[in-house]
Amino acid sequence: MDIMLILQIIVLFGGIYLGVKLGGMGIGYAGGLGVIILTVFLGMKPGSIPWDVILIIASVISAITAMQVAGGLDYLVQIAERILRNNPKYINYLAPIVTYLLTIFAGTGHTAFSVLPVITEVAKGQNIKPSAPLALAVVSSQVAITASPISAAFVAMTGVCEPLGVSYPILLLICIVTTFAAVILTAFIVNMVYDLDLSKDPVYQDRLAKGMVKEIVVEEQKELLPYAKRSVVIFGIGVLFVVAYALAISDSVKLIDPVRLGRDGAIISFMLTIGAAIVMFCKVDTSKLLGTSTFQSGMNACICVLGIAWLGTTFVSGYIDPIKSVASEVVTKYPYLLAVALYFLSCLLYSQAATTKIMMPAVALAMGMTSPENSGQIWILVASFAAVSGLFVLPTYPTVLGAIAMDDTGTTRVGKYVFNHSFIIPGTIMVAIAVALGFIIAPMLI
C-alpha cells in the first residue's frame, strides 16, 4: 500500500467522519470538500455524480410536499394514530408495521417522524418501555426503503439488476416479502425477549421522581383541511401508475415496447405530475411548499447524497480494478460478507440510495456480471440489498435523534459507549433476518 493510497483513504473516511460530526447537510458539504482534495491535490479523476438518485429524491419529495400542504400527511397520521390507540397492547407490532407501510407508500423514512410521539404516548399508557416500539418503528422505516417502488435506493437497485436478468416484479416481490417478514419476526423477538416493564426502569423512575415525565394527554385530532383525503387519493393513484408503468416496461412483461421513457424518467415525471395534480385539484398555496418540513428534509437528503456519494464514487472509480479482483474472490467464496460491507458502509454514507449507487454496480462488475448470460450470482446482490439499511448504527440519524428526544421516560437512549444505544440490537436483528431470508428466497426465484 503506497503513501498516495493511504492519503486517499484518509480523505475518504475523514470526509465521512467530518460529515457525521457536522450533521445534516454538513454530510454533503464534507463530501464536496473530500472530492476537491482527492481530485485537485491527490490526482484522482472525479467520479460520476449520482444525478438519477438526487432527481428521484427531489421529485418524490416535491409530490409529498404538495400532499403535506394539502393536509394529506395529517390525514395519514390520523389513520396511523387511530390504529395505534385502538390496539395499544399490540404497540410493538403495530408501530413498526405503520412506519413500514408509510415508508413504502411515500418512498421516504422521514414520514416516521409524525407518529413517533403517538408511539411514545401509547407505550407509556400500557406501561411498556417506549424504547422497544420506537426502535422497531425507526428501523422499520429505514428497512422499508429497500422495498418501496418509488424510493431512490430501490430504483438504483433496479437499474443494476434488470439488465442482468432480474425482472422488476421479482425484485419487488423479494424485497417486500423479506423486509416485511423481518419486521414481524424482529417485533416478535423483542416482545418475547426484552424486559418491557416500564415501571422497573431505573432511569424512568428517576425522571418520574424529578417531574421530568409528562402526563399522558390524548390530544384531540385537529380538523383536516378540505382536500386532505383527496390529496392522499391522488398521490396513491400516482404511485400505482408508477408501479404499473415500471411493470409494463420491464423485460418480463414488455407491454410497452419500444420504451421511450425509462424508469428513472418515469418516476421523476410521474411524481412532478402528481404534485401538479395535487396543487390544481386540492387548491394548494404554492407559496407554502418551500417552508414545509418534508421539503426541508428532502433537500437535506439531496445535498447529503450529492456530496457523500460523489466522494464515494470518486474513490471507487479510481480503484475499480483492485476492487474487482478482491470482490470477485471474496464475495464468491463468502457471499454474506457483501451484506456485512453494505451494513457498515451505509451507516457511514447515511443513505441507502448512496450505498446502493456506489456499491452494487461496482460489485456486479467485479464479479463479471455484464449481461444475463454471466450473471448467475446476481442473487447475492439481491439477497444482500436490505443490508444498506444500517443508518441506525450511528445514533445521529434524524429519526433516531427524534425518537430519543420524544421519549421523555429516558428508556430510548444512547449508552456510555455510543454504539450501545436502543436501536442497535433490534436494527441489527431486523437487517440480519431480512438478509437471511433473502439468501433463502432470492436463489429460488432468480
Side-chain angles (χ1 to χ4, degrees), residues 143 182 186 339 343 383 386-387 392 426-439:
V143 171
T186 306
Y343 173 79
F392 56 84
T428 303
I429 291 173
M430 192 178 296
V431 170
I433 291 175
V435 170
L437 291 174
F439 271 78

Side-chain angles (χ1 to χ4, degrees), residues 143 174 177-179 181-182 185-186 335-336 339-340 379-380 382-387 428-444:
V143 171
I174 293 172
V177 169
T178 55
T179 55
L185 290 173
T186 306
Y336 60 88
V340 176
W379 67 268
I380 297 175
V382 176
S384 303
F385 182 36
T428 303
I429 291 173
M430 192 178 296
V431 170
I433 291 175
V435 170
L437 291 174
F439 271 78
I440 296 171
I441 296 173
M444 295 169 56

Side-chain angles (χ1 to χ4, degrees), residues 69-119:
V69 175
L73 282 186
D74 289 335
Y75 175 57
L76 289 175
V77 170
Q78 285 192 9
I79 294 174
E81 183 175 354
R82 196 176 303 126
I83 293 171
L84 294 171
R85 292 196 186 281
N86 290 345
N87 304 275
K89 293 181 180 180
Y90 305 104
I91 185 68
N92 285 336
Y93 292 97
L94 291 177
I97 290 174
V98 164
T99 55
Y100 179 91
L101 294 177
L102 283 173
T103 301
I104 291 282
F105 180 72
T108 171
H110 291 289
T111 51
F113 271 119
S114 53
V115 296
L116 295 181
V118 181
I119 293 171

Side-chain angles (χ1 to χ4, degrees), residues 355-377:
T355 306
T356 303
K357 189 68 177 178
I358 292 171
M359 287 295 292
M360 292 305 192
V363 173
L365 189 62
M367 297 178 71
M369 301 178 193
T370 57
S371 66
E373 290 72 28
N374 55 20
S375 61
Q377 292 183 304

